[in-house]
Amino acid sequence: MQTYQTNEVETLIEGLNEDLSAEYGAMIQYLYNASVVSGLSRRILKPFFEEEAQDEMRHALYLSEKINYLGGQPSVRPKAVKHVTGVREMLQHTLQEEIDTIDRYKKRIDQAEQVGDIALKVQLEDMISDETRHKEEIERLLKENNL
């Protein structure tokens, strides 16, 4: 195991822990949404939210392992989850969370490049791709349902 000691790596670890907490929160948010969504949209949105939760879990696992590898202590605290019940509110809230996640990962890519961690950079790019697909699907759902 390689141990890094630079300030840049410490900053990267802090950022990755922020991302990890957000992924935990997103996973919980999606599971919450899947459990409370109702009405005509339930048949479509429940499986959608459940699938998205699985993606966020994979992201969280990767981030946790990377933080540990870099010599940090992975966070165990999720970002706060919003209690929403309306379909439109659920989708708008998760859309904003996806946008925020993409922005954070772009910053983390720059930090990964600064410390020379190309594997992390590439993985974050893949995670941005996942989050972008989530974002676009939510945008389609909002548009198609005139929500």
Side-chain angles (χ1 to χ4, degrees):
M1 179 172 94
Q2 184 172 353
T3 303
Y4 297 95
Q5 297 296 325
T6 67
N7 287 336
E8 291 87 8
V9 173
E10 290 172 10
T11 301
L12 175 60
I13 289 169
E14 288 173 16
L16 291 172
N17 262 317
E18 177 186 354
D19 300 334
L20 178 58
S21 291
E23 290 291 353
Y24 289 152
M27 185 174 52
I28 294 166
Q29 186 74 59
Y30 278 125
L31 292 173
Y32 170 82
N33 290 351
S35 69
V36 301
V37 68
S38 60
L40 296 174
S41 300
R42 181 170 174 80
R43 288 185 152 245
I44 295 167
L45 292 179
K46 183 179 185 305
F48 169 75
F49 289 139
E50 290 170 345
E51 185 177 315
E52 298 303 305
Q54 293 297 315
D55 282 347
E56 307 306 353
M57 184 180 71
R58 285 187 287 277
H59 294 171
L61 180 59
Y62 174 80
L63 293 171
S64 183
E65 289 175 349
K66 184 54 116 171
I67 291 164
N68 179 265
Y69 176 78
L70 292 171
Q73 182 66 37
S75 174
V76 295
R77 294 194 176 124
K79 180 179 175 183
V81 175
K82 188 173 182 182
H83 291 262
V84 294
T85 55
V87 171
R88 181 176 181 76
E89 186 181 10
M90 279 180 194
L91 292 172
Q92 288 178 325
H93 176 69
T94 55
L95 175 61
Q96 188 58 54
E97 291 296 320
E98 296 294 350
I99 291 168
D100 293 346
T101 299
I102 292 166
D103 289 343
R104 277 195 321 277
Y105 285 161
K106 287 177 181 176
K107 291 177 191 172
R108 229 57 75 218
I109 285 172
D110 292 340
Q111 293 172 333
E113 285 181 330
Q114 287 176 2
V115 301
D117 194 331
I118 302 305
L120 175 58
K121 176 186 180 278
V122 170
Q123 184 63 38
L124 288 166
E125 289 170 346
D126 288 345
M127 289 164 63
I128 286 175
S129 177
D130 288 344
E131 302 296 353
T132 299
R133 279 193 304 277
H134 299 172
K135 174 186 149 307
E136 290 171 355
E137 187 63 24
I138 294 166
E139 289 170 336
R140 279 189 215 92
L141 288 166
L142 283 165
K143 183 177 179 182
E144 290 298 319
N145 291 309
N146 294 319
L147 299 172

